[in-house]
Amino acid sequence: MVSLICTLQDHRDDVNWCAFSPTLLATCSADKTVRIYNTQDFSEVPYSPLSGHGYGVHCCCFSACGQYLASCSTDGSTVVWSTDTGEIEAVLEHPGRNPVRVCAFSPDSSHLVSGASDGTLGLWDFRTKTLHRTGAVNDTTMVACSFTPCGQMFVTGSTYGDLRLWDLDMNQLHAEKNTHDLGVTCCCFGPKILSGSGTVQFRLASCGQDSTLKIWTVSRSNTGSCKMQLLHTLTGQSAPVLSCAFSADGQLLVSGSVDKTVTVYDASQGTLLYILNQHERYVTACAFSPSTPLFATGSMDKTVNIWRVEDGHSGHVETATFSCEGRKLLCHSRLLVSDWSEEDVGAWLCEEGLQVLVENFKANNIDGAELISLTKETLASELNIESVGLRSKVLRKVEELKAGCVCTGVPDEYLCPITRELMKDPVIAADGYSYEREAIESWIATKNRSSPMTNLPLQTTLLTPNRTLKMAIGRWRTSQ
C-alpha cells in the first residue's frame, strides 16, 4: 500500500527536482529557490529557502553524508551549500557559463558532475572545488546524470536520446544510441553491484519523451569493455515520463509523467504495482529516502507530495496525517527498536495507549535506544512522570518490547557470514553477499580486499546498505 502523508506547498513556481539525505529533503524550483525540510515532520528548516541563484533551479543533490547540497541553474552555476547553516560553500561556474541542467555527486562525494544545455560536462574534484575534467556531446542538451554505485563511472542522458557511459577521466566507455525517441529526460542507477564471471553489473533506469521507462543492465568486464542490455520496457504511463528513481534497496522504481501520474514498479520483475493520481499537473521529479520507506514527487502544480510505501500490494492509496490517530508517516515497525527515531517512539506510545506522554518524550529527545534503557528512576526524576501507575505501564510495555527482540533459531540468511551473529547493519559487498558493516570493513582492512565467501578479489570496497534485509530482520525480531 502507498499512503500520501503530506503535501508541501511552499514553492511559487514549477518544482523541478527533489532529493533526500538521511535526515533532509531538498526541493528546487523555477522560482529560483531551494527549500529544505526535516524528514521527521517535514517542517522547513530555519535557514530555508536558499536564494543564491539568479534564475530557475533545475536540479539539486546531497553529498553522501548529507553535509552538503549542490544545486544548478540556468544562471550557469552549480552552488554548493552547507546543510548545517544554509551558507554558500562554493560557486562552481560551468565552462562557458551555459545553463546547467543537471548535477550529481559520486557515492563517496569525491566528485561532482554537471551537465549543461550546450552538451558540455564538467567533472569537479569536490574536495578542492576545482574543475577536474571536461567533456561534451555536440548538438544536444545534457539533462540526466547518475553515478554507478561504485563511483568509478557515470552515465549521462541527453535530448538527443542517447545514454553515454564515462569514466572519471572523461573517457567515453559506451554510447547507447536512440534509447528514447525524442530524448532522454532522466536516468538513475540502482544501488546494487552484481559481480561474477569477470564482470561487474549495475541496474540503470531511464525515461524519456517516448512515454516509456526502461531498465537496463550495464556491464563492465575485467578488460574494461562495457555494454548495455535492455531488460524491461515499462509502459504504465500515457505521456512523456519526466523522472525516475530507485528505492534505497533497489526493489522499487518510481516514475513521474506528463499525464500527471506517479507509477511504482517492482524493479526486479518490471511489474506495475501502483498508479498515483494526486498531482494536478506534470510530475517532474521523484526521489526515494535512503533511510525510510518514503518517497517524494514534485510537480508543475508547485507542490511536493510525500508518500510512504507500506507492506502489501493492495494498490490502494490512502491519505494519512501526522497525528497519533493515523500514524501513517512513521515506520517503526520496519526498524530495529534501537534504530527508532523520536517520531517512531511517539507512534509506539500512541499505539500502546500512552498518547499523554508523546510531548514529554519528544521534549526529552527519547529515541529507540533511549526508550529501551528507561528505568523507573529516569521516568520519575528526568521525565517527571509523577503517576506510579503510568510509570509502571511504560516499563511494562518497554519490557514487552524488549522481550520481542529475544532471538532463537535465527534464519541463516540473517547471520553475518563472518561473525555468524545476527546482523544489525547489513551491507552488500561487491561479491553480492551481505555482511555486518563493521565485520566486512574490518575484513577488507586486513584481508587485502578479498571476498570472505569466494576468496576472489573484490572489484570495489564500496558497501551498499541492504535496507530490505535490515527491515526483514527487524520484522523477524519483533515477531519472536
Side-chain angles (χ1 to χ4, degrees):
M1 185 172 69
V2 176
S3 299
L4 176 62
I5 61 173
C6 70
T7 298
L8 309 176
Q9 304 180 69
D10 299 302
H11 282 296
R12 301 190 306 273
D13 208 333
D14 302 350
V15 177
N16 291 328
W17 206 274
C18 303
F20 275 99
S21 76
T23 59
L24 299 173
L25 168 69
T27 63
C28 62
S29 168
D31 66 9
K32 307 178 187 179
T33 69
V34 181
R35 291 184 177 270
I36 313 293
Y37 301 88
N38 189 311
T39 55
Q40 284 196 341
D41 58 6
F42 290 97
S43 60
E44 199 162 5
V45 300
Y47 57 75
S48 180
L50 306 177
S51 303
H53 286 290
Y55 295 92
V57 187
H58 294 291
C59 179
C60 59
C61 57
F62 284 100
S63 62
C65 62
Q67 184 178 358
Y68 300 102
L69 175 74
S71 60
C72 60
S73 166
T74 300
D75 62 17
S77 71
T78 301
V79 177
V80 179
W81 311 83
S82 166
T83 57
D84 291 329
T85 64
E87 297 294 324
I88 294 177
E89 295 285 327
V91 178
L92 311 179
E93 295 187 358
H94 195 83
R97 291 303 302 270
N98 285 284
V100 184
R101 295 292 303 276
V102 66
C103 58
F105 275 105
S106 62
D108 63 358
S109 302
S110 61
H111 292 91
L112 175 71
V113 67
S114 58
S117 61
D118 63 347
T120 58
L121 292 166
L123 183 63
W124 303 83
D125 183 320
F126 187 68
R127 293 185 178 90
T128 61
K129 311 297 189 297
T130 58
L131 188 62
H132 175 63
R133 292 281 193 277
T134 60
V137 179
N138 296 328
D139 303 320
T140 192
T141 295
M142 289 293 178
V143 293
C145 182
S146 179
F147 275 90
T148 58
C150 67
Q152 300 304 303
M153 300 179 290
F154 62 93
V155 70
T156 59
S158 73
T159 53
Y160 188 75
D162 57 350
L163 292 167
R164 296 174 186 264
L165 191 66
W166 311 76
D167 65 16
L168 298 183
D169 290 321
M170 293 300 290
N171 297 310
Q172 192 175 134
L173 305 177
H174 180 78
E176 194 75 16
K177 302 292 185 65
N178 303 315
T179 58
H180 291 277
D181 189 27
L182 303 178
V184 175
T185 53
C186 187
C187 64
C188 62
F189 274 104
K192 294 183 179 180
I193 303 173
L194 307 174
S195 60
S197 303
T199 63
V200 178
Q201 292 186 342
F202 312 95
R203 291 288 184 269
L204 174 72
S206 66
C207 55
Q209 299 288 348
D210 58 0
S211 306
T212 67
L213 174 64
K214 296 182 178 181
I215 302 176
W216 309 80
T217 295
V218 178
S219 304
R220 187 173 190 181
S221 69
N222 289 339
T223 63
S225 63
C226 298
K227 66 177 183 179
M228 289 178 59
Q229 181 178 355
L230 182 62
L231 293 180
H232 303 290
T233 298
L234 310 178
T235 57
Q237 289 163 308
S238 60
V241 184
L242 302 181
S243 57
C244 59
F246 278 101
S247 60
D249 59 9
Q251 298 300 307
L252 298 176
L253 180 64
V254 65
S255 63
S257 171
V258 169
D259 68 7
K260 309 176 188 177
T261 67
V262 176
T263 54
V264 183
Y265 294 90
D266 180 311
S268 299
Q269 303 299 321
T271 54
L272 179 62
L273 301 178
Y274 310 105
I275 299 178
L276 313 175
N277 296 284
Q278 270 62 33
H279 282 294
E280 296 179 358
R281 295 191 66 197
Y282 301 174
V283 182
T284 52
C286 55
F288 269 97
S289 165
S291 54
T292 60
L294 302 175
F295 68 91
T297 56
S299 169
M300 291 177 69
D301 63 12
K302 307 177 187 179
T303 70
V304 177
N305 283 336
I306 309 299
W307 310 83
R308 178 185 171 192
V309 181
E310 303 181 82
D311 288 333
H313 300 287
S314 66
H316 180 55
V317 179
E318 290 186 354
T319 300
T321 67
F322 291 96
S323 69
C324 293
E325 211 173 308
R327 288 193 349 269
K328 299 295 185 181
L329 169 64
L330 305 172
C331 54
H332 66 271
S333 63
R334 289 174 169 253
L335 300 172
L336 300 174
V337 177
S338 59
D339 294 328
W340 284 8
S341 68
E342 295 171 23
E343 294 293 327
D344 295 330
V345 171
W348 174 78
L349 289 170
C350 294
E351 186 177 11
E352 299 297 338
L354 297 166
Q355 294 94 327
V356 67
L357 296 177
V358 170
E359 292 303 320
N360 189 351
F361 274 51
K362 185 175 182 180
N364 286 276
N365 305 118
I366 304 298
D367 59 13
E370 294 280 347
L371 178 68
I372 57 180
S373 301
L374 288 176
T375 65
K376 61 182 180 181
E377 288 78 18
T378 56
L379 289 173
S381 61
E382 296 181 19
L383 298 183
N384 298 313
I385 299 175
E386 297 179 357
S387 169
V388 175
L390 189 56
R391 292 201 300 266
S392 297
K393 182 176 181 179
V394 171
L395 290 176
R396 184 171 68 253
K397 293 297 183 180
V398 170
E399 287 304 314
E400 292 174 1
L401 192 62
K402 290 161 67 174
C405 297
V406 177
C407 304
T408 57
V410 182
D412 192 66
E413 61 268 27
Y414 296 168
L415 300 176
C416 173
I418 299 174
T419 65
R420 299 303 297 169
E421 296 178 356
L422 184 68
M423 288 183 278
K424 297 180 180 178
D425 186 13
V427 294
I428 304 171
D431 59 3
Y433 291 92
S434 291
Y435 305 91
E436 177 64 32
R437 181 183 291 277
E438 184 178 353
I440 188 62
E441 287 178 344
S442 176
W443 177 280
I444 290 172
T446 59
K447 300 291 183 180
N448 197 28
R449 293 180 57 174
S450 63
S451 165
M453 299 298 287
T454 67
N455 289 324
L456 296 175
L458 294 171
Q459 297 291 329
T460 174
T461 58
L462 181 72
L463 304 174
T464 304
N466 192 337
R467 303 194 190 283
T468 298
L469 179 58
K470 184 174 182 177
M471 288 190 287
I473 293 172
R475 286 194 294 268
W476 177 83
R477 289 184 65 174
T478 55
S479 70
Q480 297 302 298

